[in-house]
Amino acid sequence: AQSVTQPDIHITVSEGASLELRCNYSYGATPYLFWYVQSPGQGLQLLLKYFSGDTLVQGIKGFEAEFKRSQSSFNLRKPSVHWSDAAEYFCAVGAREYGNKLVFGAGTILRVKS
Amino acid sequence: DAGVTQSPTHLIKTRGQQVTLRCSPKSGHDTVSWYQQALGQGPQFIFQYYEEEERQRGNFPDRFSGHQFPNYSSELNVNALLLGDSALYLCASSIAGGPYNEQFFGPGTRLTVL
């Protein structure tokens, strides 16, 4: 079965500093990997996704993520964080044989210090 | 395009009652998935509807049921409510075909069971 682990419950970074949010997945074949962001009172917004090909994927709002098969990881990065990036971030995994079902991690809450 | 809409925004029920949540998918989408997001956790897949039939189901009891209408809108019904059913219920719509078709999430319905 698929599973996703986000080891960090909370992360605090200063505005302008770089950011890396960790995500590890468990799945036998090549997974479909996603990062979503959720602001208070809002639904989930897709930041980026990986299906195949180039292991470094670019997303919206200046985010990128790198798929590392050997480490079963899909970490999210941003070179310079803005105060508006404060939100909760979710990593998710899907698979063709599971249809549209996504399995989410528990999330990482990002706080940005000014 | 209004995107995915859900109603109501908030709902308060007591144990043992029944509740119905509603979802209108994004224009052009034919598949609706429902997720439960308990406080401090990531969304958990409940089930998915396509062509008015339940196509996939997560690990949820039969108290959770749903329906999809010919216009692709959907309802989630929960019977015999328990305190543990208190959560944010998210609806996501997509085009059928697998996880590579982006799922768009609504803002959710916050259910509180007293």
Side-chain angles (χ1 to χ4, degrees):
Chain A
Q2 307 151 287
S3 68
V4 177
T5 302
Q6 293 180 247
D8 304 304
I9 299 174
H10 297 96
I11 281 187
T12 301
V13 300
S14 298
E15 191 169 14
S18 64
L19 169 70
E20 183 169 30
L21 302 182
R22 295 183 291 163
C23 172
N24 292 96
Y25 67 90
S26 173
Y27 180 63
T30 300
Y32 297 86
L33 295 163
F34 306 82
W35 275 99
Y36 285 86
V37 61
Q38 185 177 38
S39 299
Q42 310 258 338
L44 298 168
Q45 181 184 23
L46 181 66
L47 289 175
L48 47 76
K49 58 189 177 185
Y50 171 78
F51 295 146
S52 64
D54 192 349
T55 56
L56 184 64
V57 293
Q58 303 296 321
I60 62 171
K61 303 185 181 186
F63 285 93
E64 66 177 27
E66 186 171 12
F67 170 59
K68 293 186 177 180
R69 183 188 301 276
S70 61
Q71 299 177 19
S72 297
S73 70
F74 188 57
N75 294 348
L76 182 71
R77 299 193 295 246
K78 186 169 185 178
S80 177
V81 169
H82 188 262
W83 65 265
S84 61
D85 293 324
E88 190 161 16
Y89 292 79
F90 293 93
C91 181
V93 63
R96 181 186 295 271
E97 56 266 41
Y98 297 121
N100 286 38
K101 170 187 173 182
L102 296 178
V103 175
F104 286 84
T108 297
I109 296 172
L110 172 64
R111 299 187 178 120
V112 180
K113 294 189 300 185
S114 57
Chain B
D1 182 7
V4 180
T5 60
Q6 293 185 244
S7 63
T9 305
H10 297 87
L11 205 51
I12 298 175
K13 292 287 188 179
T14 56
R15 281 177 295 175
Q17 284 189 312
Q18 179 265 344
V19 69
T20 298
L21 310 182
R22 296 176 176 82
C23 172
S24 292
K26 183 178 171 65
S27 177
H29 287 184
D30 55 9
T31 300
V32 173
S33 300
W34 287 92
Y35 291 81
Q36 180 195 65
Q37 186 178 14
L39 199 61
Q41 297 183 25
Q44 290 197 6
F45 178 79
I46 303 174
F47 44 51
Q48 178 191 103
Y49 277 82
Y50 169 64
E51 291 186 332
E52 302 180 48
E53 290 188 14
E54 183 183 296
R55 300 292 179 169
Q56 281 183 277
R57 189 176 184 92
N59 189 25
F60 280 81
D62 292 345
R63 297 187 297 109
F64 289 77
S65 63
H67 189 77
Q68 185 179 36
F69 299 94
N71 67 353
Y72 308 118
S73 67
S74 177
E75 288 182 349
L76 164 65
N77 301 293
V78 188
N79 294 322
L81 285 167
L82 303 174
L83 295 179
D85 295 331
S86 295
L88 180 68
Y89 288 85
L90 296 166
C91 169
S93 74
S94 61
I95 300 170
Y100 37 81
N101 292 327
E102 181 179 347
Q103 295 193 41
F104 288 78
F105 284 81
T109 293
R110 173 74 61 187
L111 173 64
T112 301
V113 182
L114 302 177

